[in-house]
């Protein structure tokens, strides 16, 4: 797929409509071939030659390729404009103050210029915008001769202090890059890693003190990578103590209130890890801390994190024998318009799971039917883990609904699309699980037999239930419910209780 086709395929239906309107306003003549080409690419899978003939009866390839280039540039401009609109409002406001102040300085309006620079400095300091602060101090120092009230030496000292912070942020970015590179390397070799030792060794290499240097922003960055790796290594239990210990190290930082956005993100990641490890009470405790942070500063970040908070709260409820509360909570927000597309998708998939576990198959199917985009689209919005879970739930649901044709097509599609990837990341047990599902689907009468139970027992290298990820356990519960002729929810909660008992002993 070329760049133009790839970009167009990544646009949502709403973005496609907005882009069409953007082209209409941009076109100066009645020539709308750019709109025609855009619609043809977004709706049809035509070859380049077929597109050329549809647009130019004489098959003018030069004109066609020129049109493609213009359309690509328009798409880039459109996406850039959207990005600017959605950019952090604080950053943009500070930059506007700096640009305006420089214009005033060039026009000998020093007093108003320095007032704007002062406003910009306060905002940038509040949000630890070190790179932008460098620009502010550079400008104040450069034009200090135009303003007698400016204490030049004081501004130079502030500039030097900020430079150190900026350099430290760059160093932490290198730490982030090295941690990510190491995680990528172990992903495909199936090795385990001590995150605490890795992190501390890299900090030492760069002469960084954890207590003095690490901000909530950098901690969130690192936690995100480690949380992603936990899915691949299937080891949330190992990363849990590291996440909690590093949070305890920085939670009383003097600048913590200036980084509320990242503080909330960190609390969410810890709560999510605890949930994945089936420690629901602890997860709910961190969710409560998260909610308190969301309510601070006149609920500045409340709406931003509302869906994330509701989703994780509902998941904790569902696996704590509070399923009706979980369903009611997500039903109340499933149609809420929000910029957090990933959380919206998580909420819909969680509801599918809740209804499925409850035995309300039609409700589950109704919600699932609304997830009609391609796997590639969902991968870009929510990640590969989400897509794999969606496909697996879909197959299980269609088996229970006895939708034979759909089961066959989904099984074939899953094998073709994900078996190679699962092998690369050492998740062959997902492949084994699907093979058992297929065996049951074709031989349902044998599922309660001793032979099938022995087959399941010998198919996996089992790990302790307290170490097993909750979603992996949930998928196994479906198979267990068939073997023991129990409801899915009962089989699920029973497995979780067993794991909690083992963990407490």
């Amino acid at each position: 797929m070329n760049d133009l086709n790839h970009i167009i395929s990544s646009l949502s239906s709403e973005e496609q409509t907005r882009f069409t309107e953007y082209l209409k306003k941009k076109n100066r003549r009645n020539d709308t071939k750019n709109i025609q080409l855009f619609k043809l690419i977004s709706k049809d899978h035509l070859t380049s030659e077929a597109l050329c003939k549809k647009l130019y009866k004489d098959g003018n390839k030069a004109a066609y390729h020129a049109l493609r280039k213009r359309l690509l540039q328009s798409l880039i401009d459109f996406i850039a404009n959207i990005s600017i609109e959605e950019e952090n409002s604080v950053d943009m406001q500070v930059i506007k103050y700096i640009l305006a102040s420089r214009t005033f300085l060039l026009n000998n309006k020093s007093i108003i210029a320095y007032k704007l620079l002062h406003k910009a400095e306060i905002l940038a300091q509040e949000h630890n915008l070190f790179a932008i602060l460098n620009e502010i101090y550079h400008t104040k120092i450069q034009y200090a001769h135009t303003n007698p009230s400016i204490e030049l030496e004081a501004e130079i000292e502030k500039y030097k202090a900020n430079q150190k912070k900026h350099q430290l942020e760059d160093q932490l970015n290198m730490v982030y890059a090295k941690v990510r590179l190491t995680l990528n390397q172990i992903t495909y070799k199936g090795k385990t890693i001590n995150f605490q030792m890795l992190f501390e060794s890299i900090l030492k290499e760069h002469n960084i003190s954890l207590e003095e240097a690490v901000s909530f922003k950098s901690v969130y960055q690192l936690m995100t990578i480690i949380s992603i790796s936990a899915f691949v290594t299937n080891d949330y239990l190992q990363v849990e103590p590291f996440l909690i210990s590093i949070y305890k190290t920085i939670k009383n930082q003097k600048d913590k209130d200036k980084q509320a956005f990242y503080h909330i993100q960190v609390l969410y990641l810890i709560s999510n890890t605890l949930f994945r490890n089936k420690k629901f009470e602890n997860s709910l405790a961190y969710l409560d801390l998260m909610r308190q942070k969301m309510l601070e500063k006149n609920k500045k970040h409340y709406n931003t994190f509302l869906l994330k908070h509701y989703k994780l709260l509902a998941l904790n409820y569902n696996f704590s024998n509070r399923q009706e509360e979980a369903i009611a909570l997500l039903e109340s927000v499933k149609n809420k318009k929000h910029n957090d597309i990933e959380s919206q998708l998580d909420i819909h998939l969680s509801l599918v799971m809740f209804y499925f576990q409850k035995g309300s198959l039609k409700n589950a199917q109704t919600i699932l039917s609304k997830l009609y985009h391609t796997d590639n689209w969902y991968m870009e919005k929510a990640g590969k883990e989400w897509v794999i879970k969606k496909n697996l739930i879909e197959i299980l649901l269609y088996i229970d609904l006895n939708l034979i044709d759909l089961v066959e097509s989904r099984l074939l599609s899953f094998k073709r699309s994900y078996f190679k990837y699962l092998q690369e990341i050492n998740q062959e047990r997902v492949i084994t699980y699907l093979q058992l599902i297929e065996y049951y689907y074709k031989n349902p009468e044998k599922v309660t037999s001793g032979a099938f139970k022995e087959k399941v027992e010998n198919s996996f290298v089992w790990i302790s239930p307290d170490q097993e990820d909750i979603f992996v356990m949930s998928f196994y519960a479906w198979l267990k419910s068939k073997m023991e002729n129990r409801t899915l929810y009962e089989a699920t909660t029973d497995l979780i209780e067993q794991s909690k008992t083992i963990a407490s002993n």
Side-chain angles (χ1 to χ4, degrees), residues 215-225 262 265-266 269:
S215 65
F216 277 105
K217 178 181 178 180
S218 58
V219 167
Y220 165 67
Q221 193 177 39
L222 290 164
M223 281 186 175
T224 300
I225 297 305
Y262 294 106
Q265 294 272 40
V266 165
L269 286 172

Side-chain angles (χ1 to χ4, degrees), residues 26-37:
K26 187 178 180 181
N27 290 342
R28 296 180 180 179
R29 299 174 296 168
N30 292 327
D31 181 8
T32 58
K33 278 190 167 56
N34 53 1
I35 296 175
Q36 291 174 43
L37 176 59

